[in-house]
Every structure is written in C-alpha cells, then in structure tokens.
Amino acid sequence: MNISEAAERSGLPSKTIRYYEDIGLVEPARRLDNGYRDYAPRDVHMLRFLSRARGLGFSVLECRALVALYADADRKSADVKEIALNRVSDIDAKIADLQAMREILMELAETCHGDDRPDCPIIDDLASRAAN
Amino acid sequence: MNISEAAERSGLPSKTIRYYEDIGLVEPARRLDNGYRDYAPRDVHMLRFLSRARGLGFSVLECRALVALYADADRKSADVKEIALNRVSDIDAKIADLQAMREILMELAETCHGDDRPDCPIIDDLASRAAN
DNA sequence: ATAAACCTTCCAGCTACTAGAAGGTCAAGC
DNA sequence: GCTTGACCTTCTAGTAGCTGGAAGGTTTAT
C-alpha cells in the first residue's frame, strides 16, 4: 500500500512516517519500481505501535528500544518494565514541576485585582524575586 | 560590568544572555570601545526578571509581553493577569495529559511481572491497541 | 492532452537554547 | 616585551521531533 494509506491506517502523517524511516525506526516492506514506498500490514502495525508509544510520551530513543524488544522473542519483560517505570519517574518529576509552578502562579493571580490599574503583584513578584 | 559578571548576578549563562539579546529581549546598556558588552544593574535586574519568568514556564513570547508590560507604567494589571492565567491553563492541560499517561503506564507496569520471561503486557498493549 | 492528486527528495524552520570554532583583548607574571 | 590564561567577540551547527514547502516525477481520470 502507498504511504498515504499507511498514514491513514496508522494515524501518523505521511511526513512523520518518512521521518521515522529516516531515523531508522520503520521502513516499508519494499519500494515499487517507480520509487514509491510499499507498506505491508505489519509495517502499519509497527507504525501504530510507535504512534501509541509516542502518545504515551516515550522518546524516540525509548521507542527504538521498545521496537527492538517488541521484535525480540527472547526479551525479558523486566527490560520493558524498566523503560516504562523510567517513563513514570520522568512524568512524576514533570508533574511536580508543573504543580509547583501552578501554585505560585495561582497565588500571584489571586492577589492581582486584574483591572485597568497598573499595579500588579505578578509583575512585582517577578521583579522583586528577581532582585534577590 | 562584563557579561560574565552579569551572568553570575542574573543566574543566566552568558550564552543565554547573548541569545536573549539576539532575539531582542534585553540588550546591554552599552558597548565598550573594544566591543565588549557593558551591563548596568537595571540590565541585570531585567535578566533576573526573565530568568524567573522562564522558570515559571512562560514562553519567550510571553516573556516578551511581560517585559513590555513591566516597562509600561500605564499597563493594565488585567493584561498581566491574563497571561498568568493562560499559563495556568496550559499547565493544567499538561498535568492532565501527564496524569493520564502515568495511569496507563502504571496499570501496565503493575501487570507486568518484570522477570526474565518474554511475555509482557506492556508490549502486548502497545501492539494490540495499535492494532485497533 | 491535461489537470488533479499522488509520490519522491531535499532544505528550512519551529523552541530555547547550547557547544564549539576562530579570532580579538586584557591582566598578571617574568 | 612577551607569554599565558582568561576573558570577550561573532558565526555556525546541533539538540527533539517533527512540519511545511519547493522542485520535480507518476498515476489516474476526464
């Protein structure tokens, strides 16, 4: 099948599929005589696998590892689990960061009257904490 | 003062300070005859303001707006508050995304025995949801 | 025959820096 | 005066993960 059909079936844009090929993640089963990429169902399956993994926030590097593990009949499930748990740690760290930011911003926003007057605790805070 | 002192006092790397100048955020008070940047205390103040704003996750675009509002004696505090609240919305959306990912990953990790055997619900899930 | 809709490759751009190269300048020590 | 090292300058390129567009070939339908 053509790349556009593979795109439709996998849910990834054609551009992204070509990009994944560029970086060595998935290549089409073969090329037709006219140079067109020709995808097999298992390629589409792989692309959807990638789409889902990326959707869960795995980096392309992690995806590469997951693809390798997926293809490896002798894999240890512990290896896969480790990647997943590392990802969870990353997520936890990011959430903590964001929550801390959110808290500060909400405190500032709540004390800002938000009208036509210029005095603003948000600006003041950015400026004064900056002065420390 | 030299850029390295401005860097030390503002907490931003010299490279970043030059970058901020490049994109028009803060430029030094003047240039010395030898071409060196010469920073005034108010420049450092501005740089710290930026450092803090970036630390709270404001994009460079938002920082540009905040810098303008900071410099504008006739600003409306409502404009600042809007930027801050937009940022809070962004953060909320990101946190929700991350929490959803985290939940799925934890469910998968919990059902994965994580040993030397190859069968792995994480891989299976990525593959089968991918097949849908 | 021609137009629309594919496909190809390659190059540029996005965010917000960061690293490094090539070269000028300055202050200290001898 | 000379050297050494630590500054400083500009410019280019790389990071992640695509995305958009240009230039050109192919296929399909009319």
Side-chain angles (χ1 to χ4, degrees):
Chain A
M1 79 190 77
N2 273 350
I3 195 170
S4 62
E5 194 181 336
E8 204 175 327
R9 290 205 205 174
S10 68
L12 290 171
S14 303
K15 286 262 183 193
T16 302
I17 296 177
R18 286 197 200 94
Y19 172 70
Y20 285 171
E21 182 181 346
D22 256 19
I23 62 173
L25 278 182
V26 176
E27 58 181 325
R30 61 196 186 107
R31 291 284 186 137
L32 300 180
D33 289 345
N34 58 13
Y36 285 21
R37 289 167 179 83
D38 187 30
Y39 291 90
R42 69 184 152 79
D43 300 329
V44 173
H45 195 249
M46 202 69 241
L47 289 169
R48 293 190 68 105
F49 180 93
L50 283 169
S51 172
R52 171 114 181 113
R54 291 287 302 126
L56 283 173
F58 288 104
S59 70
V60 164
L61 209 63
E62 287 167 325
C63 284
R64 212 182 288 272
L66 287 171
V67 164
L69 286 167
Y70 176 64
D72 178 9
D74 294 333
R75 66 172 165 260
K76 300 176 185 176
S77 62
D79 293 341
V80 182
K81 188 169 183 171
E82 193 193 342
I83 294 175
L85 290 179
N86 282 342
R87 177 80 195 112
V88 170
S89 299
D90 290 351
I91 289 175
D92 285 345
K94 251 180 213 154
I95 288 177
D97 267 10
L98 289 171
Q99 276 170 343
M101 287 178 195
R102 198 208 129 92
E103 214 164 305
I104 293 171
L105 286 170
M106 279 306 290
E107 275 172 32
L108 292 175
E110 274 164 15
T111 54
C112 174
H113 35 66
D115 56 19
D116 282 0
R117 288 171 296 168
D119 56 305
C120 174
I122 302 169
I123 288 282
D124 290 349
D125 181 274
L126 289 173
S128 70
R129 293 215 203 194
N132 287 344
Chain B
M1 78 192 75
N2 273 350
I3 195 168
S4 62
E5 193 182 337
E8 203 175 327
R9 290 206 206 173
S10 68
L12 290 170
S14 303
K15 288 261 184 194
T16 302
I17 296 178
R18 286 196 201 95
Y19 172 70
Y20 284 171
E21 182 182 345
D22 255 19
I23 61 173
L25 277 183
V26 177
E27 57 181 326
R30 62 197 186 105
R31 291 284 186 137
L32 300 178
D33 288 347
N34 59 12
Y36 285 20
R37 289 167 178 83
D38 186 30
Y39 291 90
R42 69 184 152 78
D43 299 331
V44 173
H45 195 251
M46 200 73 240
L47 288 169
R48 291 191 70 103
F49 179 93
L50 282 169
S51 172
R52 171 112 180 111
R54 291 286 304 123
L56 283 173
F58 289 104
S59 72
V60 164
L61 209 62
E62 287 167 325
C63 286
R64 210 183 288 273
L66 288 172
V67 165
L69 286 167
Y70 177 64
D72 178 8
D74 293 333
R75 68 173 163 259
K76 301 176 186 176
S77 62
D79 291 342
V80 182
K81 189 169 183 171
E82 193 193 341
I83 293 175
L85 289 179
N86 281 343
R87 176 81 197 111
V88 170
S89 299
D90 289 351
I91 289 175
D92 285 345
K94 250 179 213 153
I95 288 178
D97 267 10
L98 289 171
Q99 276 171 343
M101 287 177 195
R102 197 207 130 92
E103 215 164 306
I104 292 171
L105 286 170
M106 279 306 290
E107 274 174 32
L108 292 176
E110 275 163 16
T111 54
C112 175
H113 35 67
D115 57 18
D116 282 359
R117 288 170 295 167
D119 55 305
C120 173
I122 301 169
I123 287 282
D124 290 350
D125 180 275
L126 289 173
S128 69
R129 293 214 202 195
N132 288 342

